[in-house]
Amino acid sequence: MRVGANPSNRVRLDGEKAFHRVIIPVYIPNAEGYFQNAMEVFRLCLFSLHRTSYTRLLVAVVANGCSDDVADELRSLQKEGWIDELTIVKEGIGKINSVLRALRTAEEPFITITDADVLFDVGWEQAVMGVFRSFPLAGAVCPVPVFRKNFDLTGNIWLRYLFSNKLKYEKVLEPEGMTAFAKSLGWLYLLDRYKDIVATLTAPDGKKALLGCSHFVATYRREVFEKLPRTNSEFRIRGNSELLYTDLPVIKRGGYRLTTTRNHAFHMGNEPEPWMYEKFESLVDREKSTFNDQFGTLPTPLISHIVWQKVFKRLLSYRHFHLWLLRHKGMTPQQIEDHFTP
């Protein structure tokens, strides 16, 4: 039987208010083979995130299918204050379903979703927020320029700036960053034609951003997730899961998918290397502050940006239009030839 009233019945939820939440899905089922050094890589990711952040981040970690030893380590990290919200799921539910566990209840205006093998560099948060500040229609921003992403779900941008000199191909500012990313995928090198020029958008205040947005690490406006599918993903990893749950919601909500012009983070992969420790040791803890800017929210589009995406994709399928577009936006004949070379 129940005696008396629960004292929490009329208590309001006054949890910590934050500007920015970071969600990290973690899958480390054992400490063998591919996963032998995965926990060490994750520690570099987590600690670099805290060292380099400008604001007080709320970090949510969702462990799925992790071993008991890994789960215990994560609990210890939470007790030490490195993790604000920890969810441990015994079965392997996959990256996107892990993200959804934390995402569906998140209320912060900006949410970063990152893989557990990203090493954050100084200034990444300021650079990302700088893009949101300069481009009010930015819905997702990645801090790592990646080669050949200019036409990936960016049709809404191309059509809007089709005849504007605000959008054109410009020289890559940090080609070594793109090379580092390629090597993290197991490539020995990156050909020059992949890191020569990149489609660049210029804001009214003169700030620039690159077209396209990788999803191994990206920051999103909270409102884009109003367009999330209601059901969970049927894939553990890849398939169409990231397209449906992180990419298309940005387009459906009328947002742009953009990237910073310079490299502000590194993809580590599953094997720590000396340069990673050197970079980490160079990071200095900074006092946390707040963004005083009023970023507002994305306006609701009058015409679905999915429609614009389909229109642009159809236009791009016509070779004459494709060639005209590349010439019109600043490519040389050699660069156009390179563009069509795998």
Side-chain angles (χ1 to χ4, degrees), residues 286-340:
R286 61 161 299 153
E287 184 178 349
K288 306 309 178 189
S289 184
T290 58
F291 282 102
N292 296 319
D293 305 55
Q294 297 298 317
F295 287 86
T297 59
L298 283 174
T300 302
L302 296 177
I303 300 177
S304 171
H305 282 215
I306 292 292
V307 173
W308 294 125
Q309 179 62 33
K310 290 179 178 179
V311 169
F312 181 71
K313 188 175 182 180
R314 181 64 179 271
L315 287 173
L316 209 60
S317 68
Y318 296 108
R319 188 172 178 85
H320 288 300
F321 174 82
H322 202 152
L323 289 170
W324 170 83
L325 180 66
L326 298 179
R327 287 194 301 268
H328 176 62
K329 293 301 181 181
M331 277 198 186
T332 66
Q334 182 60 55
Q335 288 168 339
I336 292 175
E337 181 179 340
D338 291 342
H339 170 80
F340 288 103

Side-chain angles (χ1 to χ4, degrees), residues 217-236:
V217 55
T219 302
Y220 303 83
R221 287 182 178 271
R222 177 65 187 88
E223 57 266 30
V224 305
F225 295 116
E226 296 169 2
K227 300 298 183 179
L228 277 175
R230 294 187 176 183
T231 58
N232 287 347
S233 172
E234 59 184 289
F235 295 98
R236 284 194 176 186

